[in-house]
């Protein structure tokens, strides 16, 4: 549960003009701002934002509300997820309730392992050299939160133990596996790429081998919270840009999508080693109907 006080604080701290500007080009109009309504199609602006009273109103379709309502409507999020997102943006920590949901345990576990994989990357000359050779700067490696899982790592196993998470449970979360009766990390000697869902929660990893193991690219297995058939890599950041520019770039690998983002084309996403599904298409069409396909002729995941 998020307290009323926290919700109030977020409403006060969030700059409604700045939040809405991420989706709508606003122009000054009297004491407020106006722009083309994102909720209905129009040619002359009837969508108004009042920065003093902190609400928006469209005289065309009647859409109106506060900053939380706006984020909910435009991102199709629950009230809770919209509040969580705004809290992150304005730098407010929301205490997680004492009874932690399975999903909270899942994302907490993945985040802890991720942090350790990130610090492993800094220690591995080979992994860093690989990313440099692919054109990544240190800044970009940080921004994309890339990591490294060493050979025969037990980092994810140890993290589960630290959290007193049963290893069978951790295995169902996809980061560890049993080999000869012993648990080890699923990934070995691989660059780690975080995969986030549409609410920016870490739900899986992509992993690129530094050696010669096949497959070259390996994802976390499907879990309760990670479905390759419905997820698109980087969609959480690409969707609003795609909506604004009215097109999306669809690639078939993380590094392809990351290359676009590094070049400033942030409306690029990637499928995760599967064919394009109707769920993918539905997801994309919530942002735009225009898709630029960037697929090469290699095997899936190359
Ligand atoms: Zn409207």
């Amino acid at each position: 549960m998020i307290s009323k006080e926290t919700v109030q604080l977020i409403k006060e701290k969030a700059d409604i003009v700045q939040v809405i500007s991420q989706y709508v080009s606003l122009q000054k109009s009297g004491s407020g701002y106006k722009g083309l309504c994102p909720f209905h199609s129009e040619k002359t602006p009837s969508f108004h934002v009042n920065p003093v009273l902190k609400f928006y109103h469209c005289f065309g379709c009647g859409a109106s509300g506060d900053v939380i309502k706006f984020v909910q409507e435009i991102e199709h999020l629950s009230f809770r997820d919209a509040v969580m997102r705004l809290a992150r943006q304005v730098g407010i920590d929301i205490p997680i309730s004492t009874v932690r949901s399975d999903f909270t345990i899942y994302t907490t576990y993945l985040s802890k392992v991720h942090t350790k994989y990130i610090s492993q990357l800094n220690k591995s000359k080979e992994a860093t050299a690989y990313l440099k050779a692919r054109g990544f700067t240190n800044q970009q490696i940080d921004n994309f939160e890339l990591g490294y899982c060493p050979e025969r790592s037990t980092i994810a196993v140890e993290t589960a133990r630290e959290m007193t998470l049963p290893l069978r449970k951790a295995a169902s979360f996809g980061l560890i596996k049993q080999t000869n009766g012993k648990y080890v990390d699923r990934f070995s000697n691989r660059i780690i790429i975080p995969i986030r869902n549409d609410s920016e929660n870490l739900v899986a990893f992509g992993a690129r081998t530094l050696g010669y193991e096949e497959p070259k690219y390996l994802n976390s297995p499907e879990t309760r919270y990670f479905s390759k058939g419905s997820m698109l890599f980087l969609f959480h950041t690409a969707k609003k840009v795609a909506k604004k520019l009215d097109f999306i770039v669809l690639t078939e690998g993380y590094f392809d999508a990351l290359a676009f983002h590094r070049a400033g084309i942030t409306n690029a996403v990637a499928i995760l080693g599967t064919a394009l599904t109707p769920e993918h298409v539905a997801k994309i069409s919530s942002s735009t109907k225009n898709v630029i396909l960037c697929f090469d002729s290699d095997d899936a995941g190359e």
Side-chain angles (χ1 to χ4, degrees), residues 37-42 46-47 58-63:
C37 180
F39 303 114
H40 84 280
S41 172
E42 63 176 5
S46 45
F47 180 84
C58 173
F59 290 96
C61 67

Side-chain angles (χ1 to χ4, degrees), residues 20 24-29 32-49 57-62:
I20 293 180
V24 180
S25 307
L26 292 173
Q27 303 141 11
K28 196 95 179 78
S29 164
Y33 293 83
K34 67 175 180 183
L36 293 174
C37 180
F39 303 114
H40 84 280
S41 172
E42 63 176 5
K43 295 222 160 56
T44 49
S46 45
F47 180 84
H48 290 252
V49 181
H57 180 78
C58 173
F59 290 96
C61 67

